[in-house]
Amino acid sequence: MDAQLKPKPGVTGTQAKQRISARAVLLSLGVLLANIVVNGLIFMFFRDSTLNPLLTAVLAVLWGVLGVYLIYYTLTWAVEQYPDHIRRKVLPYIFIGPAVIILGWLLILPALRTLYLSFFNASSEKFVGLSNYAAIFSDHLMATALRNNLLWVFVGTLACVCFGLLIAILADRSSYEKIAKSIIFMPMAISFVAAGVIWKFVYYYQPGDEQIGLLNAMVTYFGGEPQAWTSMLQPWNNFFLIIILIWMQTGFAMVIFSAAIKGVPDDILEAARVDGAGEVKIFFGIMIPFISSTILTVTTTIIVFTLKIFDVVMVMTGGQYDTEVVATQFYRQFFMYRNFGYGSTLAIVLLIAVLPVILINLRQFRKQGGF
Amino acid sequence: MVGKKKRKGSKTVVNLILGFICFIWLLPTLGLFISSFRPAADILQTGWWKVFPHQEWTAGETLQLSKDVDLRGPIEVNGKTYSDDQLKAGVKADDSRLIWENRRARTINVQEQGWKTTPDLTLDNYNNVLSGKEYKLKEADGSETMQKGTGLSQAFWNTLTIAVPATVIPVLIASFAAYAFAWLRFPGRKTLFVIIIAMLVIPIQVALIPVLKDYTALGLNGSYLGIWLAHTAFGLPLVTYFMYNFISQLPKDLFESAFIDGASHFTIFSRLILPLSVPALASIGIFQFLWVWNDYLVSLIFIGNQPSVQVMSMKIADLVGSRGNDWHLLTSAAFISMLMPLAIFFLLQKYFVRGLMGGSVKG
């Protein structure tokens, strides 16, 4: 993080400010052009290619990976043609250039454009001021989406953090720690779509005696009535969807807590035990305060994740039966109804919801002596 | 040692509770796994747990009652009386069960309890889902042609084609940028980096509408390049942050001597930094790879309904929507899509966890 790597004086001092040669300018422009043209042509070729899909895939991967590297390589080579003082000024921008261009074009500018669109009507033609915002907070469907999303955030996060902490503590004392942690953590690796299928099967309901869904089979075994868990029983059906999130994200909380718990100094714990403190007292009096910042990090991460929950609801119910959340409502407005005004407004609502987290991140970065 | 004994006792309790939680955690996946190997008819008729040995009533001998028994009154069988409703549902008599075999003909079946398994396991579902079903197409002139639907195998390759570059490209671009942010001085460095930190948790929904408009204008929709770029942009903030944390921690004198020897930054980066960063690159690479592999929303928006580029998550979501009761297809399809993440998870768990720790700011 300190001063730049300066070449020792005298090494390059001899070739002080040189003139920029015409050759260098021509070369660098040529390289830039060649990059654009060659990659453009390759792109066209792939877009219209009728090759065997497997071959296309292999070639595409090669191009994607090598292409990027070659862009850096040729550009730095072009800069090498210039005298030192220019090279040193330009080189950093070649290193960060692609990242900044891609981020600017596909993330930062779009965010501003979305904000702009949120003040316009469905077809983005008429300026409507804040009426989209007023509409989504008064519209019944939207109100449901907001309510459900809050439910997701609150119940889901709380459960993940509590379970994660509990399992981390238990695993810490068990001789089967590794296996147990792997099992709990495994759902983290699979997609929400696959998890949706897994749980759809657990919740499956069919009229008749024989239930093939695990939950209904258990309910009927104990003499209850089988239920259509995710479609009836509103608003409780949301909880059955939230269980999927808990099943997937608890492992994440557990892994991080587990690492934090290992960091609690043993001598403090021993001292407390010698003083006759019970395990519960040790847990609340020593462990929790010790890992409080980790708890905060995990909580924020899961909150942010849960705010944007989309796949689960889409796969399980498609947002029907009053299970709509903000992200699914966004998709519906923007993709199905082509209502860009509402869609953008919902996206901005999500953005506003994560703003505090962004500020926390920035503060922490500064605290760590960011720069 | 009284304390030791107590500790041992509590250890058993801990292991039991933990075992129970793990059992619950595994159960849903186990059900899917077992079901994916069962014939379609079996899945719909009996629960997947029936593949394990279990007690079941099996048909035994048949009792013929006299034809004029009144069904509204008590019915006498073997000296005991039962009602019609009882016999409809099945009623226990000693250690067997009585149930109507044919109510009209007044025959009763005496069922015996026995151990049973339904062990028919097959790979048909996997073949079926990978190769795609054949279906008839009516041409305009009325003739019918057989066409093969695209199976999941195509989607598998598509997912791989998207996931590999969408992992390597952002990791490479981010490493270059991270090196510049950590070791080079240039105007705008702080501002740009702060912007990247701010982007860490931004919901991608914020970008989708304008980006889709641009893609439509440029003809990037449904192209590999378009989806790579989208994943690159959405993954860059996190990967850059992660790589910056690693690269900025490297000891300075490592490459100072190389620099004095006249090596360019590019050489230092590719010959020194990249090889040194392999563990970090692996961690964040795995994280990004799984992120892309499991993604549904980005593909849904930018691929649309082009079957030649569709990824597995879309295919499975379609299956759920259109054939929600074809459990034999759903279970095997979901399992195929889980193969890669699970393999990575069990083989490279250490790296995955490390990437996750670093990625614990991304939602």
Side-chain angles (χ1 to χ4, degrees), chain A residues 1-5 7-8 43 47 53-54 57 60-61 63-65 68-69 72-73 76 80 91-93 95-96 99 102-103 105-108 110-111 113-114 117 124 167 170-171 173-176 180 182-191 193-194 197-202 204 206 210-214 217 246-247 250 252 255-256 259 273 297 301 304-305 308 310-311 314-315 327 330-331 334-335 340 343-344 347 350-351 354 358 361-362 365 368 370-371, chain B residues 7 11 14-15 17-18 21-22 25-29 31-32 35 43-50 154 157 161 164-165 168-169 172-173 176-177 179-180 184-187 189-190 192-199 201-203 205-214 218-220 223 225 228-229 233-234 236-237 244 248 252 255 259-260 264-266 270 294 296-297 300-301 313 316 320 325 327 330 334 337-338 341-342 345 349 352-353 356-357 360-363:
Chain A
M1 288 323 333
D2 14 331
Q4 176 203 356
L5 301 160
K8 288 240 162 56
F43 168 66
R47 201 180 52 187
L54 196 58
V61 168
W63 170 53
V65 174
V68 174
Y69 191 77
Y72 283 104
Y73 186 82
T76 42
E80 303 274 313
L91 193 74
Y93 293 106
F95 271 48
I96 63 164
I102 289 178
L103 272 180
W105 170 37
L106 295 174
L107 205 57
I108 299 166
R113 285 163 67 190
T114 300
L117 285 177
S124 312
I167 297 168
L170 286 174
R173 285 145 195 263
S174 166
S175 24
Y176 306 106
S182 277
I183 289 174
I184 307 287
F185 191 48
M186 190 197 69
M188 192 68 208
I190 63 173
S191 69
V193 175
V197 174
I198 289 177
W199 282 87
K200 227 183 154 72
F201 197 48
V202 171
Y204 189 60
Q206 53 183 22
E210 187 72 34
Q211 292 295 337
I212 60 165
L214 184 62
I246 297 169
W247 181 71
T250 297
F252 162 75
V255 163
I256 303 222
R273 283 199 184 103
T297 312
T301 306
V304 170
F305 192 87
K308 306 185 237 177
F310 170 80
D311 314 21
M314 225 41 201
V315 171
F330 160 86
Y331 178 76
F334 151 54
F335 237 67
F340 292 138
S344 308
L350 280 179
L351 179 63
V354 298
I358 293 179
N361 273 353
L362 285 174
F365 180 66
Q368 287 163 1
F371 279 130
Chain B
R7 188 79 33 105
K11 206 158 195 166
V14 164
N15 283 341
I17 298 175
L18 201 61
I21 295 176
C22 288
W25 237 254
L26 263 182
L27 211 51
T29 319
L32 186 90
S35 297
I43 300 182
L44 284 178
Q45 275 158 14
T46 53
W48 57 266
W49 47 93
K50 295 274 160 92
Q154 164 82 46
W157 293 116
T161 311
V164 172
V168 178
I169 295 172
L172 195 62
I173 289 179
F176 268 107
Y179 176 78
L184 304 177
R185 294 287 170 272
F186 52 93
R189 171 174 155 268
K190 277 184 192 172
L192 283 171
F193 198 72
V194 163
I195 290 175
I196 288 179
I197 303 265
M199 293 277 140
V201 292
I202 207 164
Q205 280 86 355
V206 163
L208 294 178
I209 300 179
V211 172
L212 189 70
K213 283 184 174 174
D214 286 358
L218 291 168
L220 279 169
S223 73
L225 182 65
W228 293 342
L229 282 174
F234 302 145
L236 260 181
Y244 171 86
S248 63
K252 193 171 139 190
F255 29 92
F259 200 73
I260 289 165
S264 69
H265 278 299
F266 189 80
S270 38
N294 290 335
Y296 175 56
L297 178 62
L300 194 64
I301 303 270
S313 57
I316 294 169
V320 173
N325 293 349
W327 285 109
L330 280 177
S337 81
M338 286 159 58
L342 288 181
F345 175 75
Q349 198 173 4
F352 178 53
V353 171
L356 192 89
M357 296 262 196
S360 68
V361 273
K362 177 173 183 168

Side-chain angles (χ1 to χ4, degrees), chain A residues 203-258:
Chain A
Y203 293 146
Y204 189 60
Y205 162 80
Q206 53 183 22
D209 295 337
E210 187 72 34
Q211 292 295 337
I212 60 165
L214 184 62
L215 189 61
N216 275 325
M218 273 160 47
V219 168
T220 46
Y221 180 81
F222 290 113
E225 279 294 304
Q227 303 281 354
W229 303 104
T230 52
S231 50
M232 307 309 281
L233 303 167
Q234 294 156 21
W236 305 108
N237 54 355
N238 282 296
F239 287 98
F240 290 100
L241 298 187
I242 294 173
I243 285 176
I244 303 172
L245 172 96
I246 297 169
W247 181 71
M248 291 189 82
Q249 292 289 313
T250 297
F252 162 75
M254 174 207 69
V255 163
I256 303 222
F257 288 149
S258 210

